[in-house]
């Protein structure tokens, strides 16, 4: 597209770096030629502006679209819709497998329509990193890693065989094999380039432009720390981007977050990001860009920036962007990037006005807020939400307060209960999982080295982890192992039970594995509120482990400290962690490493050779991966007996002309939800039991419960995932008050699993609606939260507000999102779920228009409610009218 740009602002020019000449679209030139004020835009908006300059074709991107970016400077907000094209797409396997399933199904549908299946092929580079499938079944021994890898391949053979087929069948599609690392850390350490290059097929020119991407994991934002603009989208939206469809969006508001000062001794990047998350959630930044600026950036490492950027989904923003500066260049060099690329990043960023220095003028922002880094204190977040920060000094009393909400009541608390076969007892607040896990912190050597040093000092004092704690270390990449080994810290972590369990997203995604049987028995038999402490980014209800109700996010060194303490009731800032081998109490301050100690090790042990060695042949994989047989050609040979991969029903009976959208008549209510329903509530990723609809389905197909794996691993099979929709063990449908778990009422009013109720309504050809509160769809960019909703027969979701990604995903599956007027809710309407609901005017729907919802109560009373259609753009409306984004893209590709 670069050579075809209309270039209305005459911004195309060249830059020479290291003897090579690159063409690019210059923002300073565009400003000179009519885009007045472009140099004052936020850095993240400059990336968007460059994208529009490069792709101006007069159709999807017009001169008016480009002008709207600088017009934004006047109002600092906009209702103007633009088409944005990211340079590449990143996937992890939980979301990647169903995406490749969809592509395979689209090839089948294309063939049935008489077109060439090869039309379904990624048009931009796609990298899929297999990182979400390793589970912590084994822990605390030198064999844990190899045992878990063996189990991973045993459980996921069908999925991996399918991905190997995809690797061969699709162009522009690479797979990073299991055991390499978490996709976001692999992206940060290897895939991302900050400035991307591409040879124009028409002219042969090499173009330079900002590295941009969308990812099928919400924490794609971590790479914003490397000045790469990227964010999470649903798998269905990512598939459209792969197939050449631009991402349409309103020009975003950009909130500037000014950092001043320098963090104090003993404060970690985790403490900082939990503080930032709390502040931005209170500010309200859903659907907005956040960009960090100010003199405090001079004192943050790039890894610290990546830690903050990673948790953009937790503070609700589309992205958490950091501009290019000298530390960006240092990181690219240290991580082994080509010196020519580093030189290009510097020259390009400076030429575009995208290089930040201490003397740089502050950009123009929609709004701002400020944090003095000297005010950050040691922190955790929990027990159920990432934004609920708790100062470490208050953690014990705050847990005691939270305990009232976490218990069903009825029995006295504070009782210790014996554990079968063990010489210890369990009580409320005992920490049963301590996990160094997740992309947020395992990308940051400062906090991992800190954890290793704390373990070393604790070991020297004679301390051990408490015997009821399941300890684990799941680094984000193999490089972490190299530098922990080089620092001599691996043995210290091993001594406290933090042995390597795998390279991937484990506890944070719900792959914590089972607790020891006797501990699980004691917790469940006595209704105990057990706790986990993890260095992750997600602690939603029912996510980490089904036996654990209280989950706290913390830095890796605090994870180790809580493994030593063993209880959330212990105030580890004033009470001893334990008794040393000399009989004296050992306090946290006695073993906490200094900032100087940490920095010295980071400076001396981490080398470019570590990165170059680990990533030199990253796509090859180990002997397990290489040994997987690949079968099939341009279309996939579906195995009807597979319980992991099945041909989804989305394209059955697809015709070139979409059926007309129809109004919704006499729909029944499937669920009434309160605020903050997450995509984990809607489509859980973790384990499930034999008595659930998904479990029954697998048992009927001779799958033993020990081989169920997880919902996340089963996402290639719609039959499992439909049954898992709204099946979180902690979800509460207010139609059945007092009942926890995925239950609703069937046509006759009887309480039954949500799936069974939906199927009963489907048999009667009765459409369904869902009512919800604020922030519906918070959390992961989980396409199955929308796919499952659609397959259960839900035609519309009516909520007080939506999180960005889930709203988009619902439209992408042909589900209508409607938003209550301010101050209105299903509670103010006194709904109980017995009503019927009709929604008319859908044949003349327009973006963000008013839609009337007619509610007929059980006694015959009729009420009409005005709602806002949350289809925000013309493109989204076209997706909805086509029955979904994939149907729209497929029809366009076949017609081309």
């Amino acid at each position: 597209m670069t050579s075809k740009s209309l270039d209305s602002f005459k911004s195309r020019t060249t830059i020479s770096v290291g003897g090579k000449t690159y063409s690019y679209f210059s923002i300073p030139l565009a400003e000179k030629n009519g885009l007045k004020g472009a140099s004052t835009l936020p850095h993240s908006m400059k990336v968007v502006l460059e994208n529009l300059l490069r792709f101006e074709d007069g159709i999807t991107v017009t001169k008016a679209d480009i002008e709207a970016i600088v017009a934004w400077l006047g109002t600092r907000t906009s209702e103007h819709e633009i088409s944005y094209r990211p340079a590449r797409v990143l996937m992890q396997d939980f979301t990647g497998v169903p995406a490749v399933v969809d592509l395979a199904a689209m090839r089948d549908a294309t063939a049935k329509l008489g077109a060439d299946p090869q039309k379904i092929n990624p048009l931009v580079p796609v990298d899929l990193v297999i990182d979400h499938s390793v589970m912590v079944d084994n822990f605390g021994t030198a064999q844990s890693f190899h045992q878990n890898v063996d189990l991973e391949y045993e459980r996921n053979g069908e999925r991996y065989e399918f991905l190997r087929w995809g690797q061969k069948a699709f162009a522009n599609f690479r797979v990073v094999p299991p055991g390499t690392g978490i996709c976001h850390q692999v992206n940060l350490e290897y895939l991302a380039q900050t400035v991307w290059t591409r040879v124009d097929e028409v002219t042969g020119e090499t173009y330079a432009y900002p590295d941009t991407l969308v990812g099928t994991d919400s924490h794609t934002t971590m790479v914003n720390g490397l000045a790469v603009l990227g964010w999470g989208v649903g798998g269905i939206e990512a598939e459209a981007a792969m197939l050449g469809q631009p991402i349409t969006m309103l020009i975003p508001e950009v909130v500037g977050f000014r950092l001043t000062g320098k963090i104090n001794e003993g404060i970690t990047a985790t403490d900082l990001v939990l503080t930032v998350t709390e502040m931005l959630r209170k500010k309200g930044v859903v659907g907005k860009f956040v960009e960090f600026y100010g003199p405090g950036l001079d004192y943050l490492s790039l890894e610290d920036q990546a830690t903050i950027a990673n948790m953009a989904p937790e503070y609700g923003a589309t992205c958490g962007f950091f501009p290019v500066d000298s530390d960006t260049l240092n990181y690219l060099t240290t991580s082994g990037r080509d010196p020519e690329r580093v030189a290009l990043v510097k020259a390009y960023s400076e030429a575009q006005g995208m290089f930040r220095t201490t003397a740089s003028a502050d950009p123009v922002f929609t709004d701002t807020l400020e944090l003095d880094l000297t005010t950050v204190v040691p922190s955790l977040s929990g027990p159920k939400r990432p934004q609920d920060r708790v100062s470490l000094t208050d953690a014990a009393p705050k847990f005691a307060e939270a305990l009232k909400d976490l218990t069903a009541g009825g029995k006295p608390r504070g009782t210790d209960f014996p554990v079968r076969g063990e010489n210890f007892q369990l009580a409320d607040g005992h920490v049963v999982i301590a996990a160094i896990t997740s992309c947020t912190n395992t990308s940051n050597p400062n906090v991992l080295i800190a954890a290793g040093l704390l373990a070393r000092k604790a070991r020297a004092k004679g301390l051990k982890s408490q015997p009821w704690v399941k300890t684990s270390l799941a680094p984000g990449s193999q490089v972490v192992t190299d530098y922990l080994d080089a620092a001599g810290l691996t043995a210290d972590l091993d001594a406290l039970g933090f042995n390597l369990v795998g390279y991937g997203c484990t506890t944070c995604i719900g792959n914590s594995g089972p607790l020891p049987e006797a501990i699980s028995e004691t917790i469940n038999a006595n209704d105990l509120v057990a706790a986990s402490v993890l260095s992750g980014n997600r602690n939603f209800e029912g996510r980490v482990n089904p036996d654990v109700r209280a989950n706290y996010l913390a830095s890796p060194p605090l994870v180790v400290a809580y493994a030593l303490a063993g209880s959330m009731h212990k105030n580890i800032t004033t009470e001893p962690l334990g008794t040393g081998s000399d009989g004296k109490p050992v306090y946290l301050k006695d073993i906490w490493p200094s900032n100087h100690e940490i920095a010295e090790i980071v400076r001396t042990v981490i080398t470019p050779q570590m990165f170059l060695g680990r990533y030199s042949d990253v796509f090859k994989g180990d002997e397990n991966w290489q040994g997987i047989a690949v079968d099939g050609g341009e279309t996939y040979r579906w195995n009807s007996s597979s319980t992991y991969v099945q041909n989804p029903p989305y394209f059955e009976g697809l015709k070139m002309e979409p059926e007309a959208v129809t109004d919704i008549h006499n729909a029944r209510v499937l669920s009434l939800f309160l605020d903050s329903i997450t995509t984990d509530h809607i489509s859980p990723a973790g384990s499930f039991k034999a008595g659930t609809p998904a479990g029954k389905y697998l048992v009927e197909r001779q799958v033993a419960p020990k081989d169920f794996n997880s919902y996340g691993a089963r996402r290639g099979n719609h039959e499992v995932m439909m049954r898992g929709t709204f099946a979180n063990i902690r979800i509460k449908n207010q139609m059945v008050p007092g009942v926890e778990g995925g239950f609703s009422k069937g046509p006759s009013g009887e309480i039954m699993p949500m799936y069974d109720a939906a199927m009963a309504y489907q048999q009667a050809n009765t459409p369904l609606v869902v009512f919800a509160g604020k922030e519906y769809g918070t959390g992961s960019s989980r396409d199955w939260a929308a796919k499952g909703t659609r397959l259960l027969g839900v035609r519309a979701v009516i909520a007080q507000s939506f999180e960005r990604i889930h709203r988009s995903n619902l439209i992408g599956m042909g589900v209508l999102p409607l938003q209550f007027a301010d101050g209105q809710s299903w509670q103010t309407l006194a709904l109980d779920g017995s009503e019927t609901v009709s929604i008319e005017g859908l044949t003349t729907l327009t973006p963000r228009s008013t839609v009337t919802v007619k509610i007929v109560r059980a006694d015959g009373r009729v009420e009409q409610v005005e709602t806002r259609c949350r289809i925000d753009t013309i493109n989204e409306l076209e997706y909805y009218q086509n029955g979904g984004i994939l149907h729209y893209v497929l029809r366009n590709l076949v017609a081309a």
Side-chain angles (χ1 to χ4, degrees), residues 203 268 860:
T203 66
T268 68

Side-chain angles (χ1 to χ4, degrees), residues 114-127:
D116 181 3
Q118 285 291 340
K119 287 191 173 189
I120 307 299
N121 222 38
L123 299 176
V124 299
V126 180
D127 289 300

Side-chain angles (χ1 to χ4, degrees), residues 497-635:
F498 287 93
N499 302 76
L500 175 69
V501 295
Y503 296 102
C505 188
T506 54
T507 303
C508 194
I509 192 63
N511 284 355
S512 57
L515 296 179
E517 193 173 316
I519 289 176
S520 179
E521 281 176 9
T522 303
I523 291 170
N524 288 291
N526 300 289
D527 190 31
L528 291 179
V529 178
S532 74
V533 181
L534 62 151
S535 66
N537 44 42
R538 292 278 162 82
N539 55 345
F540 300 138
E541 289 182 299
R543 181 181 178 103
V544 169
N545 186 284
D547 295 334
V548 181
R549 288 193 200 170
N551 302 286
Y552 286 89
L553 308 181
S555 65
L558 282 182
V559 170
V560 177
Y562 272 101
L564 301 172
S567 174
M568 290 305 304
H569 282 300
K570 182 175 283 191
N571 186 337
I572 66 173
T573 63
T574 58
E575 298 177 59
L577 295 174
T579 303
S581 51
D582 60 1
K584 295 178 181 178
V586 179
Y587 293 87
L588 184 61
K589 62 183 175 61
D590 299 331
I591 59 173
W592 193 266
S594 71
N595 290 2
H596 175 74
E597 286 177 279
I598 297 165
E600 187 65 17
I601 289 180
V602 170
R603 186 180 64 79
T604 55
V605 305
I606 299 178
T607 66
Q609 286 67 39
M610 288 180 176
F611 295 88
L612 290 167
R614 288 297 190 177
Y615 288 111
S616 61
D617 205 358
V618 70
F619 301 104
K620 183 179 179 182
D622 61 15
E623 63 277 4
N624 293 305
W625 181 254
Q626 294 170 41
I628 296 173
V630 182
D631 189 23
E634 64 180 19
T635 56

